[in-house]
Amino acid sequence: MEEDEKGFLFRRCARQGEIQSLWIVSNMDWEGQELVEWHYKRCGRSEQAHSVMKEDLAGGTLPSGDFGENAAWWWIMVLAFNLNAALKGLVLEGSGSISG
């Protein structure tokens, strides 16, 4: 996104002047501009976290065809991810790094 387009909910796409809408849904009680700026600052962080869960913590390889076993596997992986992130936050004094 171009620098001058930040903060707008609509922008022109590279393909023949099409309009692309950008939506942010949140339960935060912030002003719109503050929420948009926060959203742009964290850009890409969720994809990085999902990559760590799927690749580093074996969340992308489910052990069974049984839903219950896979659900337990997934929750153990999420627990490991969150414990790793919490311990990193304690040891690295809240550096905000993604687990992995």
Side-chain angles (χ1 to χ4, degrees):
M1 179 181 299
E2 297 295 322
E3 186 66 31
D4 60 340
E5 292 180 332
K6 281 190 173 182
F8 293 101
L9 294 179
F10 299 96
R11 66 178 178 180
R12 295 226 176 256
C13 293
R15 292 181 293 168
Q16 301 172 356
E18 294 176 354
I19 302 287
Q20 179 184 32
S21 63
L22 304 172
W23 296 82
I24 301 171
V25 179
S26 174
N27 62 351
M28 295 180 182
D29 189 23
W30 293 356
E31 293 294 322
Q33 186 62 34
E34 183 181 8
L35 184 61
V36 168
E37 289 173 4
W38 173 81
H39 177 73
Y40 285 129
K41 284 180 188 174
R42 68 176 297 276
C43 184
R45 299 289 296 214
S46 62
E47 289 83 4
Q48 185 181 5
H50 288 128
S51 176
V52 168
M53 288 190 286
K54 287 179 70 178
E55 303 299 325
D56 299 345
L57 298 174
T61 307
L62 300 175
S64 168
D66 181 51
F67 178 79
E69 291 175 15
N70 290 340
W73 178 265
W74 184 261
W75 283 110
I76 290 169
M77 181 273 306
V78 169
L79 178 64
F81 176 82
N82 287 327
L83 286 172
N84 190 10
L87 289 173
K88 279 185 175 182
L90 289 172
V91 172
L92 301 176
E93 297 180 14
S95 68
S97 64
I98 292 291
S99 178

Coordinates of all heavy atoms in Angstrom, one line a residue:
M1 N 0.8 -1.2 0.0 CA 0.0 0.0 0.0 C 0.9 1.2 0.0 O 1.9 1.3 0.7 CB -0.9 0.0 1.2 CG -1.8 1.2 1.3 SD -2.8 1.2 2.8 CE -3.8 -0.2 2.5
E2 N 0.5 2.2 -0.8 CA 1.2 3.4 -0.8 C 1.1 4.2 0.5 O 0.1 4.1 1.2 CB 0.7 4.3 -2.0 CG 0.9 3.7 -3.3 CD 2.3 3.5 -3.7 OE1 3.1 4.4 -3.4 OE2 2.7 2.5 -4.3
E3 N 2.1 4.9 0.8 CA 2.2 5.7 2.1 C 1.0 6.7 2.2 O 0.4 6.8 3.2 CB 3.5 6.5 2.2 CG 3.7 7.2 3.5 CD 3.8 6.2 4.7 OE1 4.3 5.1 4.5 OE2 3.4 6.6 5.8
D4 N 0.6 7.3 1.0 CA -0.5 8.3 1.1 C -1.8 7.6 1.2 O -2.8 8.3 1.4 CB -0.4 9.2 -0.1 CG -0.6 8.5 -1.4 OD1 -0.3 7.2 -1.5 OD2 -0.9 9.1 -2.4
E5 N -1.9 6.3 1.0 CA -3.2 5.6 1.1 C -3.5 5.1 2.5 O -4.5 4.6 2.8 CB -3.3 4.4 0.1 CG -3.3 4.9 -1.3 CD -3.4 3.7 -2.2 OE1 -2.9 2.7 -1.9 OE2 -3.9 3.9 -3.3
K6 N -2.5 5.1 3.4 CA -2.7 4.6 4.8 C -3.8 5.3 5.5 O -3.9 6.6 5.4 CB -1.4 4.7 5.6 CG -0.5 3.6 5.3 CD 0.7 3.6 6.3 CE 1.5 2.4 6.1 NZ 2.6 2.3 7.0
G7 N -4.6 4.6 6.2 CA -5.7 5.2 7.0 C -7.0 5.3 6.2 O -8.1 5.6 6.8
F8 N -7.0 4.9 4.9 CA -8.2 5.0 4.1 C -8.8 3.5 4.1 O -8.1 2.6 4.0 CB -8.0 5.5 2.7 CG -7.6 6.9 2.7 CD1 -6.3 7.3 2.5 CD2 -8.6 7.9 2.9 CE1 -5.9 8.6 2.5 CE2 -8.2 9.2 2.8 CZ -6.9 9.6 2.7
L9 N -10.1 3.4 4.1 CA -10.8 2.1 4.0 C -11.0 1.7 2.6 O -11.4 0.6 2.3 CB -12.1 2.2 4.7 CG -12.0 2.3 6.2 CD1 -13.4 2.4 6.9 CD2 -11.2 1.2 6.9
F10 N -10.7 2.5 1.6 CA -10.8 2.2 0.2 C -9.5 2.6 -0.5 O -9.0 3.6 -0.2 CB -12.0 2.9 -0.5 CG -13.3 2.5 0.1 CD1 -13.9 3.3 1.1 CD2 -14.0 1.3 -0.2 CE1 -15.1 2.9 1.7 CE2 -15.2 1.0 0.3 CZ -15.7 1.8 1.3
R11 N -9.1 1.8 -1.5 CA -7.9 2.2 -2.3 C -8.1 1.7 -3.7 O -8.8 0.7 -3.9 CB -6.6 1.7 -1.6 CG -6.5 0.2 -1.6 CD -5.2 -0.2 -1.0 NE -5.2 -1.6 -1.0 CZ -4.2 -2.3 -0.5 NH1 -3.2 -1.7 0.0 NH2 -4.2 -3.6 -0.5
R12 N -7.4 2.2 -4.6 CA -7.4 1.7 -5.9 C -6.4 0.6 -6.1 O -5.3 0.6 -5.6 CB -7.0 2.8 -6.9 CG -8.0 4.0 -6.9 CD -8.3 4.3 -8.4 NE -9.4 5.4 -8.4 CZ -10.6 5.1 -8.7 NH1 -11.0 3.9 -9.0 NH2 -11.5 6.1 -8.7
C13 N -6.9 -0.5 -6.7 CA -6.0 -1.6 -7.0 C -5.2 -1.4 -8.2 O -5.5 -0.5 -9.0 CB -6.9 -2.9 -7.2 SG -7.7 -3.4 -5.7
A14 N -4.1 -2.2 -8.3 CA -3.2 -2.1 -9.5 C -3.9 -2.5 -10.8 O -3.5 -2.1 -11.8 CB -2.0 -2.9 -9.2
R15 N -5.0 -3.3 -10.6 CA -5.6 -3.9 -11.8 C -6.7 -2.9 -12.3 O -7.8 -2.8 -11.8 CB -6.3 -5.2 -11.5 CG -5.2 -6.3 -11.3 CD -5.9 -7.6 -11.1 NE -6.6 -7.5 -9.8 CZ -7.5 -8.4 -9.4 NH1 -7.8 -9.4 -10.1 NH2 -8.1 -8.2 -8.2
Q16 N -6.4 -2.2 -13.3 CA -7.4 -1.3 -14.1 C -8.3 -0.5 -13.2 O -9.5 -0.4 -13.4 CB -8.2 -2.2 -15.0 CG -7.4 -3.0 -16.0 CD -8.2 -4.0 -16.7 OE1 -9.3 -4.2 -16.5 NE2 -7.5 -4.7 -17.6
G17 N -7.8 0.1 -12.2 CA -8.5 1.1 -11.4 C -9.6 0.5 -10.5 O -10.5 1.2 -10.1
E18 N -9.6 -0.8 -10.3 CA -10.6 -1.4 -9.4 C -10.5 -0.8 -8.0 O -9.4 -0.5 -7.5 CB -10.5 -2.9 -9.3 CG -10.8 -3.6 -10.7 CD -10.5 -5.1 -10.6 OE1 -10.0 -5.6 -9.5 OE2 -10.8 -5.8 -11.6
I19 N -11.6 -0.8 -7.3 CA -11.6 -0.3 -5.9 C -11.6 -1.5 -5.0 O -12.3 -2.5 -5.1 CB -12.9 0.5 -5.6 CG1 -13.0 1.7 -6.5 CG2 -12.9 0.9 -4.1 CD1 -12.0 2.8 -6.2
Q20 N -10.7 -1.5 -4.0 CA -10.6 -2.6 -3.0 C -11.0 -2.0 -1.6 O -10.5 -0.9 -1.3 CB -9.2 -3.1 -2.9 CG -9.0 -4.2 -1.9 CD -7.5 -4.6 -1.8 OE1 -6.6 -3.8 -2.0 NE2 -7.3 -5.9 -1.4
S21 N -11.9 -2.7 -0.9 CA -12.3 -2.2 0.4 C -11.5 -2.9 1.5 O -11.2 -4.1 1.4 CB -13.8 -2.4 0.6 OG -14.1 -3.7 0.6
L22 N -11.1 -2.2 2.5 CA -10.3 -2.7 3.6 C -11.2 -2.5 4.9 O -11.6 -1.4 5.2 CB -9.0 -2.0 3.8 CG -8.1 -2.0 2.5 CD1 -6.9 -1.0 2.8 CD2 -7.7 -3.3 2.2
W23 N -11.4 -3.6 5.6 CA -12.3 -3.6 6.8 C -11.5 -4.1 8.0 O -10.7 -5.0 7.9 CB -13.5 -4.5 6.6 CG -14.4 -4.0 5.5 CD1 -14.2 -4.3 4.1 CD2 -15.5 -3.2 5.6 NE1 -15.2 -3.7 3.4 CE2 -16.0 -3.0 4.3 CE3 -16.2 -2.6 6.7 CZ2 -17.2 -2.3 4.1 CZ3 -17.3 -1.9 6.5 CH2 -17.8 -1.7 5.2
I24 N -11.7 -3.4 9.1 CA -11.1 -3.8 10.3 C -12.3 -3.9 11.3 O -13.0 -3.0 11.6 CB -10.1 -2.8 10.9 CG1 -9.0 -2.6 9.9 CG2 -9.5 -3.2 12.2 CD1 -8.0 -1.5 10.2
V25 N -12.5 -5.1 11.9 CA -13.5 -5.4 12.8 C -12.8 -5.6 14.2 O -11.9 -6.4 14.3 CB -14.4 -6.6 12.4 CG1 -15.4 -6.9 13.5 CG2 -15.0 -6.4 11.1
S26 N -13.2 -4.9 15.2 CA -12.6 -5.0 16.5 C -13.5 -4.8 17.6 O -14.6 -4.1 17.5 CB -11.4 -3.9 16.5 OG -10.9 -3.9 17.8
N27 N -13.2 -5.3 18.8 CA -14.0 -5.0 20.0 C -13.2 -4.0 20.8 O -13.7 -3.7 22.0 CB -14.2 -6.3 20.8 CG -12.9 -6.9 21.3 OD1 -11.8 -6.5 20.9 ND2 -13.1 -7.9 22.1
M28 N -12.2 -3.4 20.3 CA -11.4 -2.4 21.1 C -12.2 -1.0 21.0 O -12.8 -0.7 20.0 CB -10.1 -2.2 20.4 CG -9.2 -3.3 20.6 SD -7.6 -3.0 19.8 CE -6.8 -4.5 20.1
D29 N -12.2 -0.3 22.1 CA -12.9 0.9 22.3 C -12.0 2.1 21.9 O -11.7 2.9 22.8 CB -13.5 1.1 23.7 CG -14.4 2.3 23.8 OD1 -14.9 2.7 22.8 OD2 -14.6 2.7 24.9
W30 N -11.4 2.1 20.7 CA -10.5 3.1 20.2 C -11.1 3.9 19.1 O -12.1 3.5 18.5 CB -9.2 2.5 19.7 CG -8.4 1.7 20.6 CD1 -8.6 1.6 22.0 CD2 -7.2 0.9 20.4 NE1 -7.6 0.8 22.6 CE2 -6.8 0.4 21.6 CE3 -6.5 0.7 19.2 CZ2 -5.7 -0.4 21.7 CZ3 -5.4 -0.1 19.3 CH2 -5.0 -0.6 20.5
E31 N -10.6 5.1 18.9 CA -11.0 5.9 17.8 C -10.5 5.2 16.5 O -9.5 4.4 16.5 CB -10.3 7.3 17.9 CG -10.8 8.2 19.0 CD -12.2 8.5 18.9 OE1 -12.7 8.8 17.7 OE2 -13.0 8.5 19.9
G32 N -11.2 5.5 15.4 CA -10.9 4.8 14.2 C -9.5 4.9 13.7 O -8.8 4.0 13.3
Q33 N -8.9 6.2 13.7 CA -7.6 6.4 13.2 C -6.6 5.6 14.1 O -5.6 5.0 13.5 CB -7.3 7.9 13.1 CG -5.9 8.2 12.5 CD -5.9 7.7 11.0 OE1 -6.8 7.8 10.3 NE2 -4.7 7.3 10.6
E34 N -6.8 5.6 15.4 CA -5.9 4.9 16.3 C -5.9 3.4 16.0 O -4.8 2.7 15.9 CB -6.3 5.2 17.7 CG -5.4 4.5 18.7 CD -5.8 4.8 20.2 OE1 -6.9 5.4 20.4 OE2 -5.0 4.4 21.1
L35 N -7.1 2.9 15.7 CA -7.2 1.4 15.4 C -6.5 1.1 14.1 O -5.9 0.1 14.0 CB -8.7 1.1 15.4 CG -9.0 -0.4 15.2 CD1 -8.4 -1.3 16.3 CD2 -10.5 -0.6 15.1
V36 N -6.7 1.9 13.1 CA -6.1 1.7 11.8 C -4.6 1.7 11.9 O -3.9 0.9 11.4 CB -6.6 2.8 10.7 CG1 -5.8 2.7 9.5 CG2 -8.1 2.5 10.4
E37 N -4.0 2.7 12.6 CA -2.6 2.8 12.8 C -2.1 1.5 13.5 O -1.0 1.0 13.2 CB -2.2 4.1 13.5 CG -2.4 5.3 12.7 CD -2.2 6.6 13.4 OE1 -1.9 6.5 14.6 OE2 -2.4 7.6 12.9
W38 N -2.8 1.1 14.6 CA -2.4 -0.1 15.3 C -2.4 -1.3 14.4 O -1.5 -2.1 14.4 CB -3.3 -0.3 16.5 CG -3.1 -1.6 17.2 CD1 -2.1 -1.9 18.1 CD2 -3.8 -2.8 17.0 NE1 -2.2 -3.2 18.6 CE2 -3.2 -3.8 17.9 CE3 -4.9 -3.2 16.2 CZ2 -3.7 -5.1 18.0 CZ3 -5.3 -4.5 16.3 CH2 -4.7 -5.4 17.2
H39 N -3.4 -1.4 13.6 CA -3.5 -2.5 12.6 C -2.4 -2.6 11.7 O -1.8 -3.6 11.4 CB -4.9 -2.4 11.9 CG -5.1 -3.5 10.9 ND1 -5.4 -4.8 11.2 CD2 -5.0 -3.4 9.5 CE1 -5.5 -5.5 10.1 NE2 -5.3 -4.7 9.1
Y40 N -2.0 -1.4 11.1 CA -0.9 -1.4 10.2 C 0.5 -1.7 10.9 O 1.4 -2.3 10.2 CB -0.8 -0.1 9.5 CG -1.9 0.1 8.4 CD1 -2.7 1.2 8.4 CD2 -2.1 -0.9 7.4 CE1 -3.7 1.4 7.4 CE2 -3.1 -0.8 6.5 CZ -3.8 0.4 6.5 OH -4.8 0.5 5.5
K41 N 0.6 -1.3 12.1 CA 1.9 -1.6 12.8 C 2.1 -3.1 13.1 O 3.2 -3.6 13.1 CB 1.9 -0.9 14.2 CG 2.2 0.6 14.1 CD 2.2 1.2 15.5 CE 2.2 2.7 15.4 NZ 2.1 3.3 16.7
R42 N 1.0 -3.9 13.2 CA 1.1 -5.3 13.5 C 1.0 -6.1 12.3 O 0.9 -7.3 12.3 CB 0.1 -5.7 14.6 CG -1.4 -5.7 14.1 CD -2.3 -6.2 15.1 NE -2.2 -7.6 15.4 CZ -2.7 -8.6 14.8 NH1 -3.4 -8.4 13.7 NH2 -2.5 -9.8 15.2
C43 N 1.0 -5.5 11.1 CA 0.8 -6.2 9.8 C 1.7 -7.4 9.7 O 3.0 -7.3 9.8 CB 1.0 -5.2 8.7 SG 0.7 -5.9 7.1
G44 N 1.2 -8.5 9.4 CA 2.0 -9.7 9.2 C 2.3 -10.6 10.4 O 2.8 -11.7 10.3
R45 N 2.0 -10.1 11.6 CA 2.3 -10.8 12.8 C 1.5 -12.1 12.9 O 2.0 -13.1 13.4 CB 2.1 -9.9 14.0 CG 3.0 -8.7 14.1 CD 4.4 -9.0 14.3 NE 4.5 -9.6 15.6 CZ 5.6 -9.5 16.4 NH1 6.6 -8.7 16.0 NH2 5.6 -10.1 17.5
S46 N 0.2 -12.0 12.6 CA -0.6 -13.2 12.7 C -0.2 -14.3 11.7 O -0.2 -15.5 12.1 CB -2.1 -12.9 12.5 OG -2.3 -12.4 11.2
E47 N 0.2 -13.9 10.5 CA 0.7 -14.9 9.6 C 2.0 -15.6 10.1 O 2.2 -16.8 9.9 CB 1.0 -14.3 8.2 CG -0.3 -13.9 7.5 CD -0.9 -12.6 7.9 OE1 -0.2 -11.9 8.7 OE2 -2.0 -12.3 7.4
Q48 N 2.8 -14.8 10.7 CA 4.1 -15.3 11.3 C 3.8 -16.3 12.4 O 4.4 -17.4 12.5 CB 4.9 -14.2 11.8 CG 6.3 -14.6 12.3 CD 7.1 -13.4 12.8 OE1 6.6 -12.3 12.9 NE2 8.3 -13.7 13.2
A49 N 2.8 -16.0 13.3 CA 2.4 -16.9 14.4 C 1.8 -18.2 13.8 O 2.2 -19.2 14.3 CB 1.4 -16.2 15.3
H50 N 1.0 -18.1 12.8 CA 0.4 -19.3 12.2 C 1.5 -20.2 11.6 O 1.4 -21.4 11.7 CB -0.6 -18.9 11.2 CG -1.9 -18.4 11.8 ND1 -2.5 -17.2 11.4 CD2 -2.7 -18.9 12.8 CE1 -3.5 -17.0 12.1 NE2 -3.7 -18.0 13.0
S51 N 2.5 -19.5 11.0 CA 3.6 -20.3 10.4 C 4.4 -21.0 11.5 O 4.7 -22.2 11.3 CB 4.5 -19.4 9.6 OG 5.6 -20.1 9.2
V52 N 4.6 -20.4 12.6 CA 5.3 -21.0 13.7 C 4.5 -22.2 14.2 O 5.0 -23.3 14.5 CB 5.6 -20.0 14.9 CG1 6.1 -20.7 16.1 CG2 6.6 -19.0 14.4
M53 N 3.2 -22.0 14.4 CA 2.4 -23.1 14.9 C 2.3 -24.3 13.9 O 2.4 -25.4 14.4 CB 0.9 -22.6 15.2 CG 0.8 -21.7 16.4 SD -0.9 -21.4 16.9 CE -1.4 -20.2 15.6
K54 N 2.2 -24.0 12.6 CA 2.1 -25.1 11.7 C 3.4 -25.8 11.4 O 3.5 -27.0 11.3 CB 1.5 -24.6 10.4 CG 0.0 -24.2 10.5 CD -0.5 -23.7 9.2 CE -0.6 -24.8 8.1 NZ -1.1 -24.3 6.9
E55 N 4.5 -25.0 11.3 CA 5.8 -25.6 10.9 C 6.6 -26.0 12.0 O 7.1 -27.1 12.1 CB 6.5 -24.6 10.0 CG 5.8 -24.1 8.8 CD 5.5 -25.2 7.8 OE1 6.3 -26.2 7.7 OE2 4.4 -25.2 7.2
D56 N 6.8 -25.2 13.0 CA 7.7 -25.4 14.1 C 7.1 -26.3 15.2 O 7.8 -27.1 15.8 CB 8.2 -24.1 14.8 CG 8.9 -23.2 13.8 OD1 9.3 -23.7 12.8 OD2 9.1 -22.0 14.1
L57 N 5.8 -26.2 15.4 CA 5.2 -27.0 16.5 C 4.2 -28.1 16.0 O 3.4 -28.6 16.7 CB 4.3 -26.0 17.4 CG 5.2 -24.9 18.1 CD1 4.3 -24.0 18.8 CD2 6.2 -25.6 19.1
A58 N 4.4 -28.5 14.7 CA 3.7 -29.6 14.1 C 2.2 -29.4 14.1 O 1.5 -30.4 14.1 CB 4.1 -30.9 14.8
G59 N 1.7 -28.2 14.1 CA 0.3 -28.0 14.0 C -0.3 -28.3 12.6 O -1.5 -28.5 12.5
G60 N 0.5 -28.3 11.6 CA 0.1 -28.6 10.3 C 0.1 -30.1 10.0 O -0.4 -30.5 8.9
T61 N 0.5 -31.0 10.9 CA 0.5 -32.4 10.7 C -0.3 -33.1 11.8 O 0.2 -33.3 12.9 CB 2.0 -32.9 10.7 OG1 2.8 -32.2 9.8 CG2 2.0 -34.4 10.4
L62 N -1.5 -33.3 11.4 CA -2.4 -33.9 12.4 C -2.2 -35.4 12.5 O -1.9 -36.1 11.5 CB -3.9 -33.6 12.1 CG -4.2 -32.1 12.1 CD1 -5.6 -31.9 11.6 CD2 -4.0 -31.5 13.4
P63 N -2.2 -36.0 13.7 CA -1.8 -37.4 13.9 C -2.8 -38.5 13.5 O -2.5 -39.6 13.4 CB -1.6 -37.5 15.4 CG -2.5 -36.5 16.0 CD -2.6 -35.4 15.0
S64 N -4.1 -38.1 13.2 CA -5.1 -39.1 13.1 C -6.2 -38.6 12.2 O -6.3 -37.4 11.8 CB -5.7 -39.4 14.5 OG -6.8 -40.1 14.4
G65 N -7.1 -39.5 11.8 CA -8.3 -39.2 11.1 C -9.5 -38.9 12.1 O -10.6 -38.6 11.6
D66 N -9.2 -39.1 13.3 CA -10.2 -38.9 14.4 C -10.2 -37.4 14.8 O -9.2 -36.9 15.2 CB -9.9 -39.8 15.5 CG -11.0 -39.7 16.6 OD1 -12.2 -39.8 16.3 OD2 -10.6 -39.5 17.8
F67 N -11.4 -36.8 14.8 CA -11.5 -35.4 15.2 C -11.1 -35.2 16.6 O -10.4 -34.2 16.9 CB -13.0 -34.9 15.1 CG -13.2 -33.5 15.5 CD1 -12.8 -32.5 14.6 CD2 -13.7 -33.2 16.7 CE1 -13.0 -31.2 15.0 CE2 -13.9 -31.9 17.1 CZ -13.5 -30.9 16.3
G68 N -11.5 -36.0 17.6 CA -11.1 -35.8 19.0 C -9.6 -35.8 19.2 O -9.1 -35.0 19.9
E69 N -8.9 -36.8 18.6 CA -7.5 -36.8 18.7 C -6.8 -35.6 18.1 O -5.8 -35.1 18.7 CB -6.9 -38.1 18.1 CG -7.3 -39.4 18.8 CD -6.9 -40.6 18.1 OE1 -6.1 -40.6 17.2 OE2 -7.4 -41.7 18.5
N70 N -7.3 -35.2 17.0 CA -6.7 -34.1 16.3 C -7.0 -32.8 17.1 O -6.1 -31.9 17.2 CB -7.3 -33.9 14.9 CG -6.8 -35.0 14.0 OD1 -5.7 -35.6 14.2 ND2 -7.5 -35.2 12.9
A71 N -8.2 -32.7 17.7 CA -8.5 -31.5 18.5 C -7.5 -31.4 19.7 O -7.0 -30.4 20.1 CB -9.9 -31.5 19.0
A72 N -7.3 -32.6 20.4 CA -6.4 -32.6 21.5 C -5.0 -32.2 21.0 O -4.3 -31.5 21.7 CB -6.4 -34.0 22.1
W73 N -4.5 -32.8 19.9 CA -3.2 -32.4 19.3 C -3.1 -30.9 19.1 O -2.1 -30.3 19.5 CB -3.0 -33.2 18.0 CG -1.8 -32.9 17.3 CD1 -1.6 -32.0 16.3 CD2 -0.5 -33.6 17.5 NE1 -0.3 -32.1 15.8 CE2 0.4 -33.0 16.5 CE3 -0.1 -34.6 18.3 CZ2 1.7 -33.5 16.4 CZ3 1.2 -35.0 18.2 CH2 2.1 -34.5 17.3
W74 N -4.2 -30.3 18.5 CA -4.2 -28.9 18.2 C -4.1 -28.1 19.5 O -3.3 -27.1 19.6 CB -5.4 -28.5 17.4 CG -5.4 -27.1 17.0 CD1 -6.0 -26.1 17.6 CD2 -4.6 -26.5 15.9 NE1 -5.7 -24.9 17.0 CE2 -4.9 -25.1 15.9 CE3 -3.8 -27.1 14.9 CZ2 -4.4 -24.3 15.0 CZ3 -3.3 -26.2 14.0 CH2 -3.5 -24.8 14.0
W75 N -4.9 -28.4 20.5 CA -4.8 -27.6 21.8 C -3.5 -27.8 22.5 O -3.1 -26.8 23.1 CB -6.0 -28.0 22.7 CG -7.3 -27.4 22.2 CD1 -8.3 -28.0 21.6 CD2 -7.6 -26.0 22.1 NE1 -9.3 -27.1 21.2 CE2 -8.8 -25.9 21.5 CE3 -6.9 -24.9 22.6 CZ2 -9.4 -24.6 21.4 CZ3 -7.5 -23.6 22.4 CH2 -8.8 -23.5 21.8
I76 N -2.9 -28.9 22.5 CA -1.6 -29.1 23.1 C -0.6 -28.2 22.3 O 0.3 -27.6 23.0 CB -1.1 -30.6 23.1 CG1 -2.0 -31.4 24.1 CG2 0.3 -30.7 23.4 CD1 -1.9 -32.9 24.0
M77 N -0.7 -28.1 21.0 CA 0.2 -27.3 20.2 C 0.0 -25.8 20.6 O 1.0 -25.1 20.8 CB 0.0 -27.5 18.7 CG 0.9 -26.7 17.8 SD 0.3 -25.1 17.4 CE -1.4 -25.4 16.8
V78 N -1.3 -25.4 20.7 CA -1.5 -24.0 21.1 C -1.0 -23.7 22.5 O -0.5 -22.6 22.7 CB -3.1 -23.7 20.9 CG1 -3.4 -22.4 21.6 CG2 -3.5 -23.8 19.5
L79 N -1.2 -24.6 23.4 CA -0.7 -24.5 24.8 C 0.8 -24.3 24.7 O 1.4 -23.4 25.4 CB -1.1 -25.6 25.6 CG -0.6 -25.6 27.1 CD1 -1.2 -24.4 27.8 CD2 -0.9 -26.9 27.8
A80 N 1.5 -25.1 23.9 CA 3.0 -25.0 23.8 C 3.4 -23.7 23.2 O 4.3 -23.0 23.7 CB 3.5 -26.2 23.0
F81 N 2.7 -23.2 22.2 CA 2.9 -21.9 21.6 C 2.8 -20.8 22.6 O 3.7 -19.9 22.8 CB 2.0 -21.7 20.4 CG 2.2 -20.3 19.8 CD1 3.2 -20.1 18.9 CD2 1.3 -19.3 20.1 CE1 3.3 -18.9 18.3 CE2 1.4 -18.1 19.5 CZ 2.4 -17.9 18.6
N82 N 1.7 -20.8 23.4 CA 1.4 -19.7 24.4 C 2.4 -19.8 25.5 O 2.9 -18.7 26.0 CB 0.0 -19.8 24.9 CG -1.0 -19.4 23.8 OD1 -0.7 -18.5 23.0 ND2 -2.1 -19.9 23.8
L83 N 2.8 -21.0 26.0 CA 3.8 -21.1 27.1 C 5.1 -20.6 26.6 O 5.8 -19.9 27.3 CB 3.9 -22.5 27.6 CG 2.7 -23.0 28.4 CD1 2.9 -24.6 28.7 CD2 2.7 -22.3 29.7
N84 N 5.5 -20.9 25.4 CA 6.8 -20.5 24.8 C 6.8 -18.9 24.7 O 7.7 -18.3 25.1 CB 7.0 -21.1 23.4 CG 8.4 -20.9 22.9 OD1 9.2 -20.4 23.6 ND2 8.6 -21.2 21.7
A85 N 5.7 -18.4 24.2 CA 5.6 -16.9 24.1 C 5.6 -16.2 25.5 O 6.3 -15.2 25.7 CB 4.3 -16.5 23.4
A86 N 4.9 -16.8 26.5 CA 4.9 -16.2 27.8 C 6.3 -16.3 28.5 O 6.8 -15.3 29.1 CB 3.9 -17.0 28.7
L87 N 7.0 -17.4 28.3 CA 8.3 -17.6 28.9 C 9.3 -16.6 28.2 O 10.2 -16.0 28.8 CB 8.8 -19.0 28.8 CG 8.1 -20.0 29.7 CD1 8.5 -21.4 29.5 CD2 8.3 -19.6 31.2
K88 N 9.2 -16.5 26.9 CA 10.0 -15.5 26.2 C 9.8 -14.1 26.7 O 10.7 -13.3 26.8 CB 9.8 -15.6 24.7 CG 10.5 -16.7 24.0 CD 10.3 -16.6 22.5 CE 11.1 -17.6 21.7 NZ 11.0 -17.5 20.3
G89 N 8.5 -13.8 26.9 CA 8.2 -12.5 27.4 C 8.8 -12.2 28.8 O 9.3 -11.1 29.1
L90 N 8.8 -13.3 29.6 CA 9.4 -13.1 31.0 C 11.0 -13.0 30.9 O 11.6 -12.2 31.5 CB 9.0 -14.3 31.8 CG 7.6 -14.3 32.3 CD1 7.3 -15.7 33.0 CD2 7.3 -13.2 33.2
V91 N 11.6 -13.9 30.1 CA 13.0 -13.9 30.0 C 13.6 -12.7 29.2 O 14.6 -12.1 29.6 CB 13.5 -15.3 29.4 CG1 14.9 -15.2 29.1 CG2 13.1 -16.4 30.3
L92 N 12.9 -12.4 28.1 CA 13.4 -11.3 27.3 C 12.7 -10.0 27.6 O 12.9 -9.0 26.9 CB 13.1 -11.6 25.8 CG 13.7 -12.9 25.3 CD1 13.3 -13.2 23.9 CD2 15.2 -12.9 25.4
E93 N 12.1 -9.9 28.8 CA 11.5 -8.7 29.3 C 10.5 -8.0 28.3 O 10.6 -6.9 28.0 CB 12.5 -7.7 29.7 CG 13.4 -8.2 30.9 CD 14.4 -7.3 31.4 OE1 14.3 -6.1 31.0 OE2 15.3 -7.7 32.1
G94 N 9.6 -8.8 27.8 CA 8.5 -8.3 26.9 C 9.0 -7.8 25.6 O 8.5 -6.8 25.1
S95 N 9.9 -8.5 25.0 CA 10.4 -8.0 23.7 C 9.3 -8.1 22.6 O 9.5 -7.5 21.5 CB 11.6 -8.9 23.2 OG 11.2 -10.2 22.9
G96 N 8.2 -8.8 22.8 CA 7.2 -8.8 21.8 C 7.4 -9.7 20.7 O 6.8 -9.7 19.7
S97 N 8.4 -10.6 20.8 CA 8.8 -11.5 19.7 C 7.7 -12.6 19.6 O 7.2 -13.0 20.6 CB 10.2 -12.1 19.9 OG 10.2 -12.9 21.0
I98 N 7.5 -13.1 18.4 CA 6.6 -14.2 18.1 C 7.4 -15.4 18.5 O 8.5 -15.6 18.3 CB 6.3 -14.2 16.6 CG1 5.4 -13.0 16.2 CG2 5.6 -15.5 16.2 CD1 4.0 -13.0 16.8
S99 N 6.6 -16.3 19.1 CA 7.2 -17.6 19.6 C 7.7 -18.4 18.4 O 7.2 -18.4 17.3 CB 6.0 -18.4 20.3 OG 6.5 -19.6 20.7
G100 N 8.8 -19.1 18.7 CA 9.3 -20.0 17.6 C 10.7 -19.9 17.4 O 11.4 -19.1 17.7

